[in-house]
Amino acid sequence: MDLIPVPQVAVFDEGGRRYAFGPDPVLDAGPGAEGVARLLRRELGAATGWNLPAAGPGGAADLRLRLDPEFGEPSRPESYGITVDATGVELVGRSAAGLFGGYQTLRQLLGPDVYRKAPLPGRAWSLPYVGIADSPRFGWRGLMLDVARHFMPKDGVLRYIDLIAAHKLNVLHLHLTDDQGWRVEIKRHPRLTEVGAWRTRSRWGHRASPLWNETPHGGFYTQDDIREIVAYAAERHVRVVPEIDLPGHSQAAIAAYPELGNTDVVDTSALGVWDDWGINENVLAPTEAVLRFYEGVFEELLELFPAEVSPFVHVGGDECPKAQWKASAVAQERIRELGVDGEDGLQSWFIRHFDGWLAERGRRLIGWDEILEGGLADGAAVSSWRGYAGGIAAAEAGHDVVMCPEQQVYLDHRQAAGGDEPMPIGYVRSLEDVYRFEPVPPKMSEAAAARVLGAQANVWTEVTEDRARVDYQTFPRLAAFAEVVWSWQPAPEERDFAWFERRMEAAHYARLDALGVDYRPPGGPLPWQRRPGVLGRPIEGEPPIA
């Protein structure tokens, strides 16, 4: 069995029997299965040449799709089952999302060529006789794409939705704003994209590198682009989490609207969109006018990301330097007015304001683990990135948590030691390291562990400048991550990585090839994947587990 992620139960026919499809198989889609049927006709049809006509009343069908709300456990809405025998294929899901997960397994069973965009001549299609029953371990199985540091055009985002869906991931977190770029159209504040979406140049490599790419860089998604992305994701049962970073990581917004910054400390009218990496000192001013401005931003954002698709809104909340607030008379007066605990209290005030504002509109705030400082409303959730500690503290305090510790699942970090890895960042996180990642650390209480919604792999793009580089950093490690968050695994040290490697070699690299993914080969980077002479920031040794 070469399936990734591995299902809970898969029993293959001992005799090796297979169901062979004819030239034009028939599809029978029951009530509620219409969305998956459309994808079968569109995606399987492209690779196989099948039209997949609907079965007539009482007619036999090669492929049968059924929703059964009683299938599997009530707590596992994405449960699905597949039966392949002499009568054809029956795919059943507890929900439409479960049915979609089963469809992804069905694609893998058909072989790597089913991922192609056109049929290969003379290709015959068959499936092994098998019985599969499966459901995911976690409900939040995510990938974060940083489209702010280096912009990914819309077609690239749609492609990544396909890629994560093929791996049974179901959350795409889009990091839409930062010091280096603002990537979403806000009609009431047009300069956010007219000015904030473009920078004159970019640092080439880590911020310690002396090299620059002098080509201007930028781009943004129109509101219709966002609607298309969200609808495309929803069809594939992927939720999109938008992130608007505040009060730090905000120089692109301040460059567009200088009044958002601390004007009594800095000549904000002289600021441009930042062209470097790292933590930027230019943060939002703690004023009512700034709150109103961002409320306007979020009002438009909520219309673009409907609650049924995007119940969570990410507000960042991380890495907010306080030097400008310390020097600002306006900020100091604000501290006195609010009665908060200094500059740290101001940051908490920002987050708590939008926590309540979003909750009033039926949304849930999520932010990086710094938002814990100063306390949170009951419904807020935490992305634990600085290790496990923030997630443990949040869960023990009764907050939902998404585990994404940088030392374990930041996929911009290097994949091997040595000089061949392009612009090496952070600790070595090999394919095996990611496979042994555990979202629920053993030190958590049982009640806190129940608060772990799942986990997310993050791809930051300071040194990941285009689609090929994103592919290289993300794959094949995302396949290992997908198995971690979907499959019911033993303890990290007991996981059979050799078996996972064999499945990768037997079929999954070929699937990635058919999908056109520029992954890192097992033997190391190909010559054109290297970046010789461009400085990164490698860290030696084992990463801390904290």
Side-chain angles (χ1 to χ4, degrees):
M1 178 179 64
D2 300 321
L3 300 174
I4 293 175
V6 65
Q8 279 182 276
V9 178
V11 180
F12 287 84
D13 180 68
E14 292 183 357
R17 290 177 294 176
R18 301 182 70 88
Y19 181 82
F21 290 96
D24 204 6
V26 174
L27 173 65
D28 180 16
E34 296 86 359
V36 173
R38 280 195 300 273
L39 288 172
L40 259 76
R41 290 190 171 101
R42 188 184 313 149
E43 296 178 349
L44 292 190
T48 61
W50 296 342
N51 293 315
L52 293 174
D62 302 87
L63 290 160
R64 303 179 296 279
L65 308 181
R66 297 283 182 268
L67 280 188
D68 180 359
E70 302 300 317
F71 183 84
E73 301 175 26
S75 61
R76 304 290 172 191
E78 293 177 85
S79 299
Y80 73 89
I82 297 175
T83 302
V84 182
D85 57 22
T87 66
V89 183
E90 176 136 318
L91 175 55
V92 59
R94 187 180 179 91
S95 65
L99 201 63
F100 179 78
Y103 162 57
Q104 296 302 335
T105 299
L106 181 68
R107 290 176 82 194
Q108 290 198 9
L109 288 168
L110 281 165
D113 287 340
V114 82
Y115 293 92
R116 299 189 181 278
K117 301 295 187 186
L120 299 181
R123 180 72 163 84
W125 300 95
S126 66
L127 285 171
Y129 283 19
V130 67
I132 293 174
D134 197 14
S135 65
R137 180 184 177 194
F138 292 106
W140 186 301
R141 306 179 303 279
L143 176 72
M144 189 222 70
L145 283 178
D146 171 16
V147 296
R149 272 51 175 271
H150 279 99
F151 178 63
M152 179 180 284
K154 180 194 69 179
D155 64 335
V157 176
L158 299 178
R159 173 178 176 265
Y160 257 84
I161 291 170
D162 283 333
L163 290 174
I164 66 176
H167 289 81
K168 296 191 177 73
L169 302 180
N170 66 346
V171 176
L172 175 64
H173 171 177
L174 284 179
H175 184 77
L176 290 166
T177 74
D178 216 296
D179 299 302
Q180 298 87 358
W182 185 285
R183 305 295 179 214
V184 56
E185 178 188 27
I186 304 297
K187 291 186 182 293
R188 73 188 70 183
H189 302 307
R191 286 176 59 84
L192 286 172
T193 47
E194 290 171 358
V195 174
W198 311 94
R199 62 177 182 262
T200 57
R201 64 176 188 169
S202 307
R203 175 82 68 177
W204 183 232
H206 181 255
R207 60 183 175 271
S209 168
L211 304 176
W212 293 88
N213 180 346
E214 298 291 346
T215 304
H217 180 83
F220 65 92
Y221 309 111
T222 68
Q223 293 200 350
D224 282 344
D225 289 339
I226 292 292
R227 292 185 182 98
E228 180 183 355
I229 288 167
V230 169
Y232 192 88
E235 188 179 26
R236 289 151 181 81
H237 299 276
V238 172
R239 288 176 288 158
V240 184
V241 177
E243 181 182 353
I244 303 293
D245 215 335
L246 59 87
H249 289 290
S250 297
Q251 184 164 320
I254 296 168
Y257 292 95
E259 64 271 22
L260 296 175
N262 296 284
T263 57
D264 61 337
V265 176
V266 176
D267 179 10
T268 55
S269 65
L271 294 176
V273 177
W274 204 29
D275 58 10
D276 211 345
W277 318 129
I279 299 174
N280 189 292
E281 294 290 330
N282 293 298
V283 302
L284 298 175
T287 67
E288 290 295 323
V290 169
L291 294 185
R292 300 293 88 76
F293 182 97
Y294 273 84
E295 286 171 0
V297 168
F298 282 117
E299 283 176 3
E300 293 194 24
L301 204 74
L302 296 191
E303 190 274 326
L304 298 174
F305 294 88
E308 59 271 20
V309 178
S310 302
F312 287 90
V313 175
H314 208 291
V315 300
D318 62 319
E319 297 179 331
C320 179
K322 310 298 192 300
Q324 290 185 4
W325 289 348
K326 289 180 187 292
S328 166
V330 171
Q332 293 303 308
E333 178 61 25
R334 194 65 162 157
I335 289 170
R336 287 189 290 272
E337 288 175 3
L338 296 169
V340 298
D341 185 16
E343 292 77 24
D344 289 341
L346 275 185
Q347 181 171 353
S348 176
W349 168 76
F350 260 106
I351 300 303
R352 290 183 68 87
H353 174 83
F354 285 104
D355 191 354
W357 190 92
L358 289 166
E360 288 172 1
R361 290 155 180 81
R363 304 303 179 95
R364 295 185 63 187
L365 178 144
I366 187 169
W368 305 112
D369 52 58
E370 288 96 327
I371 68 171
L372 281 168
E373 299 158 9
L376 286 175
D378 290 343
V382 170
S383 301
S384 187
W385 75 275
R386 294 180 297 177
Y388 288 104
I392 293 171
E396 297 288 358
H399 295 286
D400 288 339
V401 173
V402 176
M403 286 293 188
C404 48
E406 66 167 328
Q407 304 91 342
Q408 312 301 320
V409 288
Y410 269 30
L411 300 186
D412 49 307
H413 287 198
R414 60 191 175 134
Q415 304 185 60
D420 285 343
E421 292 303 309
M423 302 186 203
I425 299 294
Y427 295 100
V428 170
R429 291 289 86 191
S430 67
L431 185 65
E432 181 172 1
D433 292 328
V434 173
Y435 192 69
R436 298 193 189 281
F437 164 61
E438 174 49 49
V440 181
K443 64 181 71 174
M444 292 186 89
S445 69
E446 185 176 345
R451 288 285 188 177
V452 178
L453 299 176
Q456 183 170 286
N458 293 342
V459 183
W460 299 100
T461 60
E462 290 94 333
V463 299
T464 309
E465 74 279 4
D466 57 26
R467 193 183 90 169
R469 283 281 290 121
V470 173
D471 280 6
Y472 177 90
Q473 293 299 134
T474 303
F475 291 99
R477 292 182 296 180
L478 193 68
F481 176 82
E483 185 149 305
V484 166
V485 293
W486 177 279
S487 303
W488 298 78
Q489 296 271 22
E493 64 277 7
E494 298 171 7
R495 294 175 191 169
D496 191 347
F497 177 69
W499 182 44
F500 175 79
E501 269 193 316
R502 288 196 295 274
R503 285 180 282 135
M504 289 293 299
E505 292 285 354
H508 206 69
Y509 286 118
R511 293 179 194 127
L512 296 178
D513 286 332
L515 286 162
V517 177
D518 290 311
Y519 59 86
R520 181 189 188 276
L526 299 168
W528 55 87
Q529 293 174 321
R530 300 169 187 157
R531 297 290 187 277
V534 183
L535 289 179
R537 185 183 59 90
I539 304 174
E540 302 304 330
E542 285 294 312
I545 307 295

